[in-house]
Amino acid sequence: MPDRKLLVIDGYSLLFRAFHATRFLSTSDGRPTNALFSFTGMLFYALENLRPDGVVVALDAPGKTFRHAEYAEYKGTRSETPPELISQLVAAREFISALGIPTLEVTGFEADDIIGTISKLAEGKGYQTTILTGDLDQLQLVDSAVSVIVPRTGVTDTKVYSPEDVIERFGVEPERLPDWKAIVGDPSDNIPGVPGIGAKGATDLLQKWASVEDILAHLDQVEPKYQKKIDPAKEQLPKSKWLATIVRDVDVQYDFRPFRLTSAEFDAAKAMLDSFEMRNHSRRVGTVLSPYLEGSPESVAATVEEVRETLRAEAADATDWEALAEFVGDREFALLTEFQGAGQGAMFADEASQAWICRGEKVLRAPLAWAMRLFEERPSQVITHDSKQLFRAIPSFGKSPVAFDALLAAYVLQPGRSDYPLRQLIQGYLDCPPPESAEQAAVGLFRLRAEMKDRLEKESQLSVLVSIEQPLAPLLAEMERRGIATSKAVLTEFSAKLGKDIEATTARVYELAGEEFNIGSPKQLGEVLFEKLGLPSDKKTKTGYATGAEVLQNLAPEHAIVREVLSWRELTKLKSTYADALPRMIAEDGRIHTTFNQTVAATGRLSSNDPNLQNIPIRTELGREIRRAFVASEGFDLASFDYSQVELRLLAHMCHDPALVSAFERREDVHTVTASLMFGEPENAVSKEHRRYAKMLNYAVLYGVTDFGLANQLGGEFSVAEARTLIETYFQRFPSVKAFTESMIAEARAKGFTTTLCGRRRYFPEIHAQNRNERLYAERQAINAPLQGTAADLIKLAMIRAQDLLEGRQTLMLLQVHDELVFELAEGERDLIEPIRSAMESALELSVPIEVDAKLGANWNDMAEVARRP
């Protein structure tokens, strides 16, 4: 009779490892699931591949163990279990119980000791035992009847340890690993070891001596380099070995009952997986558990036989326009234009191109012209992917959004992705093989609506899609089609001026350097500045000296050549990136047509490219000259509407800090109010320097800037310690702000995401990262995301409301840049200024007033403030 197989699972060690090794996951209602998801995957992997006869889970009992009685510091270095993991430990126990898998725990002992005991008992009963653990301590149990599986990365990448594998890794037999660990020590268990002797030294010693006791008995014969390190620790060594040794005679009862599942247990386990939204595991549950089922109930058998359904499509050609219109009727339909396996959105070729119109599993192929007529007449019935492309393709502007845009829905659901190809969305959300034809893709697109809408409703994000993103798409399409008038003459003249300035600046750099060199070469620049001229430098890379903006800006106040180099960099960038490049982007109509990206920024912000209008310079007087090239058409003025300190106002609304709220309510300068509280000065006596510091602090809080970051922003005026004191003082003066930042971090840790006032989510998978820098970066993002995301929602809602005011008018919306909207305001329509301003200020109802600055001018730079009408 062949040996029977027993699977022993080290429950909590696997869950702890899963929690820290898996990116943070949560259900749609915010319950954390990353540890549970990974643990279930490892359990299923073991059940499917090992096919054990018996399964048991060992757990650590609450409270101290017998080791603590002898060594109070045992495991004293371990941090508290995060609340986000505690809830998953409870859920894991419930899931194990639902599967009918027995759990064992004994007060005063660790799971390691239970595993050691059970594996020894199993060997006596003729079992081959496999231990599934996240802890290498179990390797001391390995022998001819016991193997250990340790996950490495992911779920299926594992390492199976036999006695030979243990020897290969540690250089000693499994039973001597407690000796090895006693020498090396174990920080996670707070076992001290021998200071100064690491893994290599421990292996070297144990290859010459049988044990710790043997080493101590012959200490005078041990190599001097080890002897002098062992001698001070010789009293502790035996205890360290004792602490590291797994007990194998715990009084624990286990009946070695074969693992069998009833239909009730199967249904309970599947229901748990469904409740935690683990769709992949739920789909596999039948296949994995079928060998362990008692009988074959119909519901179970159906699940076991479940396969990934291939998309079925009944395709035909539309005979004429009337047949196509009748096929659609007054119902929703999916519209796919020119299927591409990895395409981001619709692509348009010529009028002979085809389109695919789907209802259910029925698909009609039709000429693209018919499909576009259908889209133009009935956008509110259309299910599509990337509606903005469709709106851009039709000759007239359509205001009504589509019924459902799968691209925008995917962006709302997963804002951190880099792209959202239709093929991948169908495969992922419908859990089916990727479509192999345009007809299958059309069917998949039609079915996506129900699945994705359900997810959006569960996450309370449906309104973000239907009230913000989808209505914005036709508006953005029209803005892209309109473009903005751009003066090639202004850019050409500015380019010539920049060329002369570059020549003069280059000459001054050469004069100060005493030689000619390539100023644009970091290597040559570093050699001139730090070797020839001897400027101070504490940053040197493998390829030479660091000459980045931060390094040079710190040196600029004291060194004229550095100021000239920075000037040269600004001039050359303005010339190449803007003055020379923008004229090539002016279309035949004399306008530049940027593309607004609706699904790129995880915060919800819009971005633009070709050209990137978000990067048009504004901070320096020279840079602002570029804006002068963006002009109003004849018979129009350019009108700019810019939110004032919008993120600070949102902060005041969200944290309810009395000082901030009062400043905005009284329409006072919030930075002056902050400076007055920070530095103890009357508001009418606040110095410019103190106001500048306060302004930096206000925005530093918004972006979670560290003391080091603030010190850098202050340009060396404050040390890191002084910057830390500034931040601490700020939080003392504004305790509600401190509470807000802490609550956002806590929410991100607990749920894996934060939300805007409109419900838009941003996820932070690195919020529990073991890497400190990654974790702190996620925390800074978590602080800012609700503010920046709400600001994004605010201006998008404002755009939709403002567009309604332009119905029947000549005035056009042209650009959205950060917190600013730019219009081409027709002569005689200045009566629109206050309604537009009002629409923007009331787009969201807040507890503090929102203010919009309105300006008017012939170009984007030379604009005069439009006073608010009383």
Side-chain angles (χ1 to χ4, degrees):
M1 179 179 177
D3 289 328
R4 291 170 293 177
K5 298 177 184 176
L6 176 67
L7 173 63
V8 183
I9 299 172
D10 188 357
Y12 288 156
S13 85
L14 276 183
L15 284 158
F16 271 82
R17 183 198 175 280
F19 180 77
H20 291 291
T22 309
R23 70 181 183 87
F24 195 79
L25 303 170
S26 63
T27 59
S28 57
D29 57 0
R31 289 171 291 156
T33 59
N34 58 324
L36 187 60
F37 179 86
S38 187
F39 174 83
T40 303
M42 288 185 278
L43 172 62
F44 279 13
Y45 174 76
L47 291 175
E48 195 169 23
N49 290 275
L50 298 177
R51 298 292 292 271
D53 297 284
V55 184
V56 61
V57 176
L59 301 170
D60 295 300
K64 304 284 187 181
T65 70
F66 71 94
R67 294 178 176 86
H68 290 93
E70 293 294 325
Y71 183 60
E73 296 85 1
Y74 182 62
K75 295 193 175 182
T77 55
R78 294 199 174 181
S79 56
E80 289 188 16
T81 305
E84 302 78 39
L85 175 54
I86 291 175
S87 65
Q88 296 183 73
L89 299 181
V90 174
R93 293 190 67 137
E94 292 174 355
F95 181 61
I96 293 165
S97 176
L99 285 170
I101 297 174
T103 58
L104 299 175
E105 56 184 314
V106 179
T107 301
F109 292 89
E110 298 178 57
D112 292 3
D113 303 316
I114 296 171
I115 293 169
T117 301
I118 295 298
S119 61
K120 183 178 180 180
L121 292 173
E123 190 170 350
K125 291 180 177 289
Y127 279 88
Q128 285 286 334
T129 299
T130 299
I131 301 168
L132 178 59
T133 180
D135 189 352
L136 294 180
D137 289 348
Q138 309 287 335
L139 295 182
Q140 63 183 273
L141 303 175
V142 172
D143 59 23
S144 60
V146 178
S147 60
V148 169
I149 298 180
V150 180
R152 290 189 289 202
T153 58
V155 173
T156 60
D157 181 14
T158 60
K159 172 65 177 176
V160 181
Y161 283 92
S162 65
E164 293 73 26
D165 294 310
V166 174
I167 293 170
E168 181 181 350
R169 174 161 182 168
F170 297 96
V172 298
E173 298 83 355
E175 62 269 20
R176 293 204 293 155
L177 280 179
D179 297 274
W180 188 90
K181 188 173 178 179
I183 298 170
V184 175
D186 185 348
S188 67
D189 287 343
N190 203 25
I191 296 176
V194 178
I197 299 182
K200 186 177 181 301
T203 301
D204 190 23
L205 282 165
L206 290 172
Q207 285 176 348
K208 296 176 183 177
W209 308 97
S211 64
V212 162
E213 292 81 5
D214 196 22
I215 293 170
L216 293 175
H218 301 89
L219 190 56
D220 58 337
Q221 300 173 38
V222 173
E223 287 183 64
K225 67 176 182 178
Y226 294 132
Q227 186 183 130
K228 65 181 181 181
K229 294 175 180 176
I230 293 172
D231 190 62
K234 62 185 178 183
E235 298 298 326
Q236 178 62 43
L237 260 179
K239 180 173 283 187
S240 293
K241 178 180 177 179
W242 177 80
L243 289 169
T245 302
I246 293 174
V247 171
R248 306 196 73 177
D249 58 359
V250 178
D251 183 14
V252 59
Q253 301 299 316
Y254 175 57
D255 59 9
F256 289 90
R257 178 176 61 87
F259 176 47
R260 291 292 180 267
L261 269 172
T262 66
S263 59
E265 289 169 336
F266 177 92
D267 291 341
K270 189 174 188 306
M272 270 202 77
L273 294 175
D274 290 337
S275 74
F276 280 99
E277 301 174 6
M278 298 183 190
R279 297 176 59 207
N280 289 338
H281 290 334
S282 181
R283 179 179 59 80
R284 292 183 57 230
V285 68
T287 303
V288 172
L289 298 180
S290 60
Y292 308 98
L293 287 169
E294 291 180 344
S296 192
E298 289 185 10
S299 61
V300 175
T303 307
V304 172
E305 294 171 3
E306 184 180 1
V307 294
R308 301 177 75 195
E309 179 188 358
T310 301
L311 293 166
R312 293 188 295 271
E314 301 174 16
D317 291 323
T319 55
D320 52 41
W321 163 253
E322 286 72 21
L324 180 62
E326 183 180 350
F327 171 72
V328 169
D330 59 358
R331 298 157 297 187
E332 291 181 355
F333 61 93
L335 172 60
L336 181 70
T337 57
E338 193 176 359
F339 171 75
Q340 289 190 325
Q344 178 80 335
M347 300 292 292
F348 300 95
D350 52 49
E351 290 187 356
S353 294
Q354 279 192 322
W356 292 264
I357 296 92
C358 173
R359 291 208 67 262
E361 295 180 359
K362 296 182 179 180
V363 181
L364 279 191
R365 294 182 291 261
L368 179 61
W370 293 1
M372 296 315 296
R373 176 182 170 187
L374 199 63
F375 176 80
E376 189 172 0
E377 292 179 1
R378 314 178 188 192
S380 60
Q381 293 176 231
V382 174
I383 301 166
T384 191
H385 180 267
D386 197 353
S387 60
K388 181 159 72 75
Q389 291 279 19
L390 291 172
F391 281 114
R392 279 206 64 171
I394 61 177
S396 60
F397 174 61
K399 279 185 59 178
S400 298
V402 295
F404 191 81
D405 187 326
L407 171 66
L408 296 178
Y411 169 64
V412 173
L413 287 167
Q414 296 176 288
R417 285 181 59 165
S418 58
D419 61 2
Y420 307 87
L422 177 59
R423 198 167 187 264
Q424 289 182 14
L425 297 182
I426 291 171
Q427 182 180 9
Y429 283 95
L430 301 182
D431 195 24
C432 64
E436 297 178 353
S437 66
E439 288 80 8
Q440 285 187 350
V443 171
L445 177 57
F446 184 84
R447 288 175 54 185
L448 274 177
R449 181 184 186 276
E451 185 67 32
M452 298 179 84
K453 183 181 178 184
D454 180 63
R455 292 281 295 275
L456 288 162
E457 286 176 337
K458 286 180 178 177
E459 296 182 7
S460 302
Q461 292 199 93
L462 185 60
S463 64
V464 177
L465 177 69
V466 300
S467 300
I468 300 177
E469 297 299 347
Q470 287 184 172
L472 193 65
L475 174 53
L476 293 177
E478 182 62 14
M479 290 166 65
E480 290 175 2
R481 256 204 318 269
R482 290 171 187 152
I484 183 168
T486 311
S487 171
K488 186 177 291 187
V490 169
L491 291 169
T492 301
E493 181 182 345
F494 189 44
S495 176
K497 178 182 181 301
L498 288 171
K500 293 178 181 177
D501 291 344
I502 290 169
E503 288 180 9
T505 305
T506 301
R508 288 194 293 274
V509 171
Y510 290 164
E511 181 181 355
L512 291 167
E515 65 174 273
E516 293 187 7
F517 64 100
N518 183 356
I519 304 172
S521 165
K523 185 176 185 297
Q524 292 184 36
L525 178 62
E527 290 170 352
V528 169
L529 295 181
F530 304 117
E531 291 183 6
K532 180 178 180 180
L533 300 181
L535 272 61
S537 172
D538 57 357
K539 292 185 178 182
K540 191 172 183 181
T541 66
K542 292 180 180 179
T543 56
Y545 293 93
T547 58
E550 181 183 319
V551 173
L552 297 191
Q553 283 165 1
N554 288 336
L555 294 171
E558 306 297 328
H559 303 280
I561 188 172
V562 176
R563 294 194 293 273
E564 295 294 345
V565 168
L566 287 172
S567 176
W568 180 90
R569 285 183 176 179
E570 181 187 13
L571 292 166
T572 54
K573 181 177 181 179
L574 285 173
K575 188 174 190 303
S576 62
T577 306
Y578 302 107
D580 293 344
L582 288 176
R584 296 193 292 269
M585 297 182 179
I586 299 174
E588 292 182 3
D589 61 1
R591 302 171 82 88
I592 281 180
H593 302 265
T594 188
T595 297
F596 292 101
N597 302 311
Q598 201 174 348
T599 60
V600 171
T603 59
R605 288 277 193 184
L606 293 173
S607 64
S608 70
N609 63 284
D610 298 329
N612 181 356
L613 295 181
Q614 309 279 12
N615 281 351
I616 300 297
I618 192 173
R619 295 188 181 278
T620 66
E621 184 177 348
L622 191 63
R624 286 191 290 272
E625 289 292 313
I626 297 295
R627 287 195 165 207
R628 188 167 282 121
F630 294 92
V631 298
S633 301
E634 187 176 348
F636 290 83
D637 288 308
L638 286 189
S640 164
F641 295 82
D642 195 358
Y643 280 110
S644 169
Q645 301 173 332
V646 64
E647 289 185 19
L648 281 173
R649 294 173 190 272
L650 291 170
L651 174 65
H653 170 81
M654 291 182 184
C655 75
H656 309 293
D657 186 87
L660 291 179
V661 171
S662 174
F664 287 123
E665 285 180 341
R666 291 182 293 166
R667 301 188 185 277
E668 296 175 338
D669 178 60
V670 69
H671 303 312
T672 299
V673 171
T674 301
S676 175
L677 288 170
M678 283 288 298
F679 303 108
E681 299 172 343
E683 290 182 19
N684 59 4
V686 167
S687 67
K688 289 183 178 179
E689 282 297 284
H690 283 173
R691 184 190 180 277
R692 183 168 66 88
Y693 299 154
K695 182 177 181 179
M696 284 190 175
L697 274 166
N698 278 329
Y699 286 105
V701 169
L702 293 179
Y703 292 91
V705 174
T706 63
D707 46 14
F708 179 78
L710 181 60
N712 278 341
Q713 289 181 13
L714 290 167
E717 298 174 61
F718 290 82
S719 67
V720 173
E722 289 168 332
R724 185 183 308 119
T725 300
L726 275 178
I727 294 174
E728 290 171 351
T729 304
Y730 182 94
F731 284 135
Q732 289 170 6
R733 300 291 187 270
F734 299 93
S736 300
V737 176
K738 176 67 171 175
F740 168 78
T741 62
E742 291 175 343
S743 69
M744 289 301 98
I745 294 172
E747 182 177 351
R749 284 177 180 159
K751 297 179 179 179
F753 61 85
T754 57
T755 58
T756 68
L757 294 181
C758 295
R760 184 190 301 274
R761 292 185 179 186
R762 184 174 181 186
Y763 292 89
F764 304 98
E766 306 305 328
I767 197 72
H768 292 288
Q770 289 183 304
N771 181 290
R772 182 174 182 271
N773 289 335
E774 290 180 5
R775 187 174 65 254
L776 291 178
Y777 179 66
E779 289 178 0
R780 291 194 296 272
Q781 288 182 316
I783 293 169
N784 179 248
L787 301 167
Q788 192 173 151
T790 301
D793 292 339
L794 174 67
I795 198 164
K796 286 178 175 179
L797 288 168
M799 292 171 71
I800 295 165
R801 295 186 64 174
Q803 181 61 34
D804 290 339
L805 296 172
L806 305 185
E807 187 72 28
R809 300 289 196 116
Q810 292 180 283
T811 296
L812 305 171
M813 192 185 307
L814 303 183
L815 300 177
Q816 188 272 322
V817 180
H818 302 303
D819 299 321
E820 178 185 13
L821 294 181
V822 178
F823 295 77
E824 208 164 43
L825 189 69
E827 289 181 0
E829 292 187 355
R830 292 196 179 186
D831 61 308
L832 281 170
I833 292 176
E834 289 309 314
I836 292 174
R837 192 200 312 251
S838 176
M840 293 178 67
E841 291 178 341
S842 59
L844 278 179
E845 187 175 339
L846 301 179
S847 59
V848 296
I850 295 292
E851 292 189 11
V852 171
D853 298 325
K855 296 180 180 179
L856 205 63
N859 62 66
W860 197 9
N861 185 64
D862 301 326
M863 309 186 91
E865 188 84 29
V866 179
R868 186 185 297 269
R869 287 205 306 261

